[in-house]
Amino acid sequence: IVRDVIDFDALTESQKGLLLAFDHTMFIGVMTTVVFGVLSTRLDTPRTALANRVLWWGVPIGLAGFDVRLITTTALPKRIFAPIMGLSLLFALAVYLRELRASTTSPKA
């Protein structure tokens, strides 16, 4: 019986980076989109609209640059694009948490 087995020790740094880039893209790109997408269906305010615009531009740009860093194994793109992605996620998280707190403390109409 012949089985196809991947020997991860035989991969080059660029090939390992490609696998890591795919993993990061799936987790950050998909999971955060789902979480913030569900939140945006529940909270539709002008502030959350701003947070959605920041997420719409910041996360994909930051994620693409971070993936370039993983594939090319150079450190410069990580230093530029990881803060863009992180700050846009933190900004959106802060806005959504503030709106969640406001919606739970305000009296029901």
Side-chain angles (χ1 to χ4, degrees), residues 12-30:
T12 65
E13 285 297 316
S14 183
Q15 290 169 335
K16 288 179 187 177
L18 181 62
L19 289 174
L20 284 173
F22 177 74
D23 183 47
H24 279 80
T25 301
M26 293 306 294
F27 184 76
I28 300 294
V30 174

Side-chain angles (χ1 to χ4, degrees), residues 18-53:
L18 181 62
L19 289 174
L20 284 173
F22 177 74
D23 183 47
H24 279 80
T25 301
M26 293 306 294
F27 184 76
I28 300 294
V30 174
M31 296 301 290
T32 58
T33 301
V34 168
V35 169
F36 284 109
V38 169
L39 284 172
S40 70
T41 61
R42 301 289 180 216
L43 299 169
D44 188 22
T45 66
R47 286 185 191 140
T48 57
L50 173 64
N52 290 337
R53 282 193 299 274

